[in-house]
Amino acid sequence: MPRKTSKKFAAAFRASSRAGSPESAPSPKRFPASGTLVRIDLDRQRLELRVDGEVQGSWPVSTAANGPGEREGSECTPRGRHVIRARVGAGAAPGTVFVGRRPTGERYTPALGAAHPDRDWILTRILWLSGTEPGRNRLGRVDTMRRLIYIHGCPDDVDMTVPGSHGCIRMRNDDVIDLFDRVEAGTTVVIEAHAPEQDAPERGNASGSER
């Protein structure tokens, strides 16, 4: 006859199993907006998270194929000082598709991507940026928020470190979740470029219908 397992041992075993499961992994520490800086280097295609001057995380990104620029319709990534105006997608499953900052009910797959090759995929999480420098990236035809410039997830087969977006800052899905969970609305974002800017022709609405 098999030996009976004590209730105490069974409870301890279940607790140990839960502790080792991915679902129970602790969330990363959320840093207050004050003292926290997201720095995006367009030349290096790199995003860094700094808290009180110390690097807390660093990830590859893909920014605009047209390079740096602030003009509406340019499909460029704006430079200068910004803030995170809104955080969208908390708790959404990786690969969740967003249009107009709302989930469509789809989850990205290679088959879905092949079926819609012209869509500008905005996945998983959105950090919507707002410029803070009037005349450079705020108000008028250089307004970052009105241009719908985000930090967001993208298909996993997108080549990070190579500029390829329509103006936004693309990240791998796991990376954008990590960043999203660490930052608050109001966090400062500085976007820098040191290489000479290339003039890009206007292409209508830079944000596109998918945003």
Side-chain angles (χ1 to χ4, degrees), residues 10-12 14 20 27 44 62 80 87 89 96 112 117 125 127 133-134 166 176 184 203 207-208 211:
R14 287 194 298 270
S27 299
R44 295 174 56 230
S62 176
R87 302 167 67 255
T96 295
L112 183 64
R125 300 287 188 276
L127 296 170
E133 300 177 61
H166 298 288
V176 78
E184 295 183 343
R203 299 188 179 182
S207 61
R211 296 189 187 282

Side-chain angles (χ1 to χ4, degrees), residues 81-125:
R81 196 173 186 87
H82 297 77
V83 296
I84 296 172
R85 177 56 62 88
R87 302 167 67 255
V88 180
T96 295
V97 178
F98 290 87
V99 173
R101 298 171 301 283
R102 295 181 181 275
T104 65
E106 302 164 296
R107 287 185 67 181
Y108 183 86
T109 63
L112 183 64
H116 303 278
D118 297 326
R119 286 178 68 174
D120 182 16
W121 298 102
I122 297 174
L123 308 179
T124 306
R125 300 287 188 276

Side-chain angles (χ1 to χ4, degrees), residues 16-113:
S16 174
S17 299
R18 286 195 300 269
S21 67
E23 291 79 10
S24 66
S27 299
K29 179 180 179 181
R30 178 79 58 80
F31 297 111
S34 176
T36 301
L37 171 68
V38 174
R39 179 178 175 271
I40 299 167
D41 187 326
L42 300 184
D43 300 325
R44 295 174 56 230
Q45 293 290 283
R46 199 81 190 171
L47 182 151
E48 287 183 348
L49 174 63
R50 294 176 176 265
V51 180
D52 296 327
E54 295 187 6
V55 176
Q56 301 293 328
S58 179
W59 301 273
V61 297
S62 176
T63 61
N66 283 348
E70 292 69 47
R71 190 175 67 246
E72 183 181 2
S74 67
E75 296 193 358
C76 294
T77 298
R79 295 157 295 181
R81 196 173 186 87
H82 297 77
V83 296
I84 296 172
R85 177 56 62 88
R87 302 167 67 255
V88 180
T96 295
V97 178
F98 290 87
V99 173
R101 298 171 301 283
R102 295 181 181 275
T104 65
E106 302 164 296
R107 287 185 67 181
Y108 183 86
T109 63
L112 183 64

